[in-house]
Amino acid sequence: MFFNFVDELRAAGIKASFKEHLTLLEALDKDVIEQTPEAFYYLSRATFVKDEGLLDRFDQVFQRVFKGVLSDYGQTPVDIPEDWLKQIAERYFTPEEMKQVKSLGSWEEIMETLKKRLEEQHERHQGGSKWIGTNGTSPFGHSGYNPEGIRIGGQSKNRRAIKVWEKREFANLDNTKELGTRNIKVALRRLRRFAREGAAEELDLQGTIEGTAKQGWLDLKMRPERHNAVKVLLFLDVGGSMDPFVQLVEELFSAATGEFKNMEFFYFHNCLYEGVWKDNRRRWAQRTNTWDILHKYGHDYKVIFVGDAAMSPYEISHPGGSVEHMNPEPGALWMQRVVQTYPATVWLNPTAENEWKYTTSTTMMRELVNDAMYPLTLGGLESAMRELTRKKS
C-alpha cells in the first residue's frame, strides 16, 4: 500500500530500498508505534532517512503523499479569538504617518501594557492606537504599524516586532543542495587543515625510498592516514527575516557538509539562548541545552554563526526579550559564553554590509563576536576562513 510513497522518496533523491519498505511494514504489523499519523510520520522518517540534511525533502514528500494526514503540532496556537485579528483590508501607512507614531516605551512597559489590554479587552478591534487588533497604530496586533510592539497573528511586514505571539513553523535546510555551491566550497577549503593522526596504516613512499637507500635493503615505512582535522560547530538562524536567504544559506550548508567531516550543526532563531535544535519540526519538543554544547565540544572547534542579526535589541540585551519565549538570561550573555569558550568564532551575515550600520542589533552582535562579522559573499567567506585559521591565544 506504500509503494507510491517509496517511489516518491526515490524520485526526491532519498534512497528507499525494498528492505527498508519491508522494515516499515513489519514495524506496523507488530504495533511498535501508536496508531496515530504523527507516530507513523516519525517511524517512516526513521526508517528511510539516514542523513539529517534530507529531512526537509522527506517532509515535502510525506506532505505530498499523505496530504492532510498530519494535524497541527508543536506550539499551542494563541487563545485570542481569530475573528478579532481577521484582516479586513491592509492599511497603507505613508512615511509621514509612520513618523507620527511613537513607541509605547521600554520593553518592560510594553509587556505590562499588553497584560492590561488582555484583561480589559472583550471584543475585536480594528484600527486605532490602543487595543489589540488590526490595521492600526497599536503596539499589539498585526497589519498595522508601530515602531516597537508585539505581533499577534498575521505576517511580518515592517519587521518591528519585539515579540511574536503565534504558532510558527520553520523548514529544515537541505544540505544536498548543489546549485551554486562550487565556489563556496573553494572558499571553505581555506579552513581545512590536514593532519596525520592514529595508527600507521598508509605507505610512506618517500620515507621508504630514503630508508632503503640508507640501509641497503628494502625498508618499508608506514604513516597514519592524512585526514581533515578541522572541527566545526555551525549555528544557523532560521525563520522570520531569514526566509529570503534560504537558498543562499542552503548552498552554504550543503558546501560545508561536503567539506568538513567533523561538523555539527544546530538551529536557532534570531539570537542564541539557552536551547538550540536540529529539527525545526520538533524545535519545542527536542531541544539541545546550550550548556551541554559548551561542555561537550572542545575549545579547538571553529564556530560559525549564520544569520542576518536583524532583531529587536531587547532580544540581545534583556531576559525575556526573545520574540518566542521568556528567556531567563539575555542573548548577549550566551554569545559571550560561546566566544569565551571558542576563541575562533565568526558570524556570516547574508545582508549587504553597507546596511549593517542601520540596524542596532547588528551593531550589538558584531561587537559581541569581537568584530568578526563578515558578509555572506565569496569575499566575505574567504576573509572569515582566514580569521578562523589564525592562531588564537
Side-chain angles (χ1 to χ4, degrees), residues 3-46:
F3 279 142
N4 183 48
F5 182 34
V6 174
D7 290 340
E8 290 287 342
L9 289 172
R10 290 171 178 168
I14 299 175
K15 296 180 180 179
S17 68
F18 188 65
K19 179 180 179 181
E20 290 165 332
H21 176 63
L22 291 178
T23 300
L24 176 63
L25 295 179
E26 183 181 2
L28 292 173
D29 184 58
K30 293 185 177 180
D31 294 327
V32 299
I33 60 170
E34 297 179 1
Q35 300 300 312
T36 65
E38 185 174 358
F40 172 70
Y41 162 77
Y42 286 108
L43 173 63
S44 57
R45 193 181 76 173

Side-chain angles (χ1 to χ4, degrees), residues 277-345:
W277 58 93
K278 278 183 166 287
D279 183 352
N280 283 306
R281 287 189 174 275
R282 302 291 290 173
R283 64 196 182 100
W284 297 109
Q286 297 177 354
R287 298 173 75 88
T288 301
N289 193 304
T290 308
W291 268 124
D292 293 342
I293 295 175
L294 299 182
H295 289 111
K296 179 178 180 180
Y297 301 102
H299 301 337
D300 56 337
Y301 269 79
K302 312 290 186 181
V303 175
I304 303 175
F305 284 92
V306 182
D308 61 357
M311 67 198 89
S312 164
Y314 300 124
E315 295 186 62
I316 302 175
S317 61
H318 279 59
S322 166
V323 295
E324 297 192 305
H325 75 294
M326 299 301 291
N327 51 297
E329 295 180 309
L333 182 58
W334 284 107
M335 289 300 302
Q336 290 168 357
R337 287 167 176 163
V338 170
V339 173
Q340 290 170 1
T341 304
Y342 307 102
T345 297

Side-chain angles (χ1 to χ4, degrees), residues 324-369:
E324 297 192 305
H325 75 294
M326 299 301 291
N327 51 297
E329 295 180 309
L333 182 58
W334 284 107
M335 289 300 302
Q336 290 168 357
R337 287 167 176 163
V338 170
V339 173
Q340 290 170 1
T341 304
Y342 307 102
T345 297
V346 298
W347 186 293
L348 296 176
N349 194 326
T351 59
E353 188 173 4
N354 59 4
E355 298 177 6
W356 295 355
K357 59 185 176 182
Y358 300 114
T359 308
T360 302
S361 60
T362 304
T363 302
M364 295 170 65
M365 193 61 72
R366 190 173 184 177
E367 293 175 353
L368 287 169
V369 295

Side-chain angles (χ1 to χ4, degrees), residues 35-266:
Q35 300 300 312
T36 65
E38 185 174 358
F40 172 70
Y41 162 77
Y42 286 108
L43 173 63
S44 57
R45 193 181 76 173
T47 303
F48 291 109
V49 180
K50 304 300 188 297
D51 182 348
E52 289 175 325
L54 297 176
L55 289 175
D56 188 50
R57 289 191 186 189
F58 176 85
D59 290 345
Q60 293 177 31
V61 172
F62 192 93
Q63 292 290 352
R64 183 164 61 250
V65 176
F66 303 103
K67 186 176 181 181
V69 172
L70 283 182
S71 57
D72 288 343
Y73 56 91
Q75 280 182 273
T76 303
V78 299
D79 294 325
I80 294 179
E82 183 180 357
D83 61 337
W84 286 19
L85 303 173
K86 185 176 181 181
Q87 183 176 352
I88 305 301
E90 183 176 349
R91 179 177 173 183
Y92 172 74
F93 289 86
T94 65
E96 291 74 20
E97 289 177 316
M98 290 182 178
K99 290 180 181 179
Q100 294 175 1
V101 181
K102 296 182 179 180
S103 173
L104 186 62
S106 66
W107 185 88
E108 290 81 4
E109 291 173 317
I110 293 174
M111 296 301 294
E112 184 62 30
T113 304
L114 174 62
K115 183 179 178 181
K116 293 179 180 178
R117 294 288 184 272
L118 290 172
E119 294 173 350
E120 299 170 355
Q121 188 170 347
H122 302 289
E123 61 183 14
R124 189 181 77 80
H125 194 79
Q126 180 182 351
S129 60
K130 178 180 179 180
W131 299 110
I132 302 170
T134 60
N135 303 109
T137 58
S138 167
F140 317 112
H142 70 80
S143 302
Y145 174 81
N146 193 279
E148 290 183 320
I150 297 177
R151 177 165 63 84
I152 304 177
Q155 296 181 346
S156 176
K157 297 183 181 298
N158 299 301
R159 299 182 181 179
R160 297 282 184 171
I162 64 172
K163 216 167 186 66
V164 177
W165 190 356
E166 66 167 348
K167 177 183 175 180
R168 313 178 79 198
E169 294 183 358
F170 304 148
N172 291 322
L173 298 177
D174 186 353
N175 72 345
T176 61
K177 183 97 174 169
E178 284 296 330
L179 182 63
T181 61
R182 183 175 180 181
N183 289 336
I184 297 177
K185 288 183 178 180
V186 173
L188 291 176
R189 282 173 189 164
R190 293 182 177 275
L191 180 59
R192 296 200 307 188
R193 174 173 53 85
F194 287 92
R196 297 188 184 275
E197 300 173 352
E201 298 177 344
E202 181 181 272
L203 177 65
D204 182 356
L205 182 59
Q206 184 63 33
T208 298
I209 293 174
E210 293 175 354
T212 301
K214 183 178 180 180
Q215 300 293 341
W217 61 79
L218 182 60
D219 186 14
L220 290 176
K221 300 290 186 182
M222 305 298 289
R223 63 185 178 185
E225 184 181 357
R226 190 169 181 255
H227 63 277
N228 190 353
V230 172
K231 293 179 283 188
V232 176
L233 282 176
L234 184 63
F235 292 92
L236 300 157
D237 182 6
V238 291
S241 59
M242 283 296 292
D243 286 345
F245 307 112
V246 166
Q247 180 176 351
L248 177 61
V249 178
E250 277 189 337
E251 292 172 359
L252 173 67
F253 185 32
S254 177
T257 302
E259 288 301 310
F260 305 122
K261 304 305 178 184
N262 299 315
M263 188 187 81
E264 292 288 341
F265 74 92
F266 298 95

